[in-house]
Amino acid sequence: MTSETQGVPIETGLIEVEQAGAELRMLHLPSDMVAATELVASVWQVDVTQSHVNPELLTALAHAGNYVAGGFRGDELMAVCVGFFHPPLERALHSHLAGVRPDAVGTGWGHALKSHQRAWCLERGVTRITWTYDPLVARNAYFNLHKLGCTVDTYLPDFYGVMGDGLNSGQRSDRVLVVRDLERPAGPRRPIGNDIEPPAAVLWSEHGRPVLDLDRARALRTCRVDIPSDIEQVRRTDPDLAVGWRVSLGQALGGLLADGWVVTDFDRRGHYTLTRSL
């Protein structure tokens, strides 16, 4: 893996990617943009003509100085990440999408790209990166909140409206907006030991179904919000149940955030931890 971007060190510890002889670089060539479009289509399970990006758009974004990067193993594009500047201009970047080739998920490519993106931004004086993610996907919540140390800014109900891709069809496109503060040292939040008793839940699972009791939060300073360990599997096997979890999470996480609660972490065991702000 390339160890720096124009002299700015990239975070270490990406063992799987490093051993694969990865290269992280900005995309500029027409062939790169075609490959990136095809990879995004495969990740979101749509025909390439319905991909969330296209070569012309990627070329325009890159030409205007935005972040359009890829991770390569030899000549193969394994991952892609696209972001654009937003106000305050040249101080903040919105990372619109990041995707890893389906057969390489879980092997460090996402972390490698986010490390590359952080270094690229710091080199340009950018101090803040934002992006959205599906708050029902546990692995993404853990990666964004615990491993990268992002903070939750806003719960966004049905943010994109109706989405017809293979990952999101048939459900609301609720998202959480997170902020990565680049002035904070890189690295995960303080590890949470599995022997520590989790706080009381206001959303939890009974026999796989969501149970919601927001009244519990009135007497608490810290609480937890549980989600399924693999909502994508639930979507495939029981779409109605997946919708039920979506609605319940929106009421729990969205409601608590609106009332001034703050997300302090996501535990690997599958729950958000929130604290009531003073």
Side-chain angles (χ1 to χ4, degrees), residues 66-86:
N66 294 288
Y67 184 80
V68 182
F72 290 82
R73 180 187 294 144
D75 294 331
E76 289 185 278
L77 181 64
M78 307 298 295
V80 64
C81 189
V82 179
F84 48 81
F85 289 103
H86 70 88

Side-chain angles (χ1 to χ4, degrees), residues 1 6 15 39 44 124 157 165 167:
M1 183 182 74
Q6 300 293 321
I15 298 173
L39 189 149
W44 273 267
R124 287 156 179 79
D165 61 74
L167 294 180

Side-chain angles (χ1 to χ4, degrees), residues 95-236:
S95 189
H96 177 52
L97 63 80
V100 177
R101 211 169 76 172
D103 62 351
V105 170
T107 58
W109 286 99
H111 198 173
L113 272 177
K114 284 300 180 182
S115 176
H116 180 273
Q117 184 182 64
R118 180 179 186 274
W120 185 90
C121 285
L122 285 172
E123 184 182 69
R124 287 156 179 79
V126 175
T127 59
R128 169 187 170 102
I129 306 175
T130 62
W131 64 86
T132 64
Y133 78 93
D134 184 340
L136 259 180
V137 180
R139 70 173 186 278
N140 288 349
Y142 181 77
F143 176 71
N144 291 325
L145 303 183
H146 186 80
K147 293 191 72 173
L148 296 184
C150 296
T151 58
V152 171
D153 183 272
T154 314
Y155 193 94
L156 302 167
D158 206 19
F159 183 58
Y160 294 110
V162 176
M163 300 181 72
D165 61 74
L167 294 180
N168 297 289
S169 61
Q171 59 182 309
R172 286 190 333 217
S173 57
D174 289 15
R175 294 294 181 268
V176 162
L177 179 70
V178 294
V179 178
R180 189 176 193 189
D181 178 5
L182 301 189
E183 295 179 316
R184 172 189 177 274
R189 294 177 185 267
R190 181 178 59 84
I192 299 175
N194 287 337
D195 57 338
I196 297 176
E197 184 70 23
V202 298
L203 174 64
W204 65 96
S205 174
E206 286 188 3
H207 308 294
R209 299 195 171 277
V211 179
L212 176 66
D213 186 358
L214 280 176
D215 288 339
R216 285 186 172 189
R218 296 176 183 174
L220 301 172
R221 285 291 178 187
T222 302
C223 70
R224 79 175 198 267
V225 171
D226 296 349
I227 61 174
S229 61
D230 188 354
I231 191 62
E232 290 144 316
Q233 176 65 20
V234 177
R235 290 172 188 162
R236 289 189 292 268

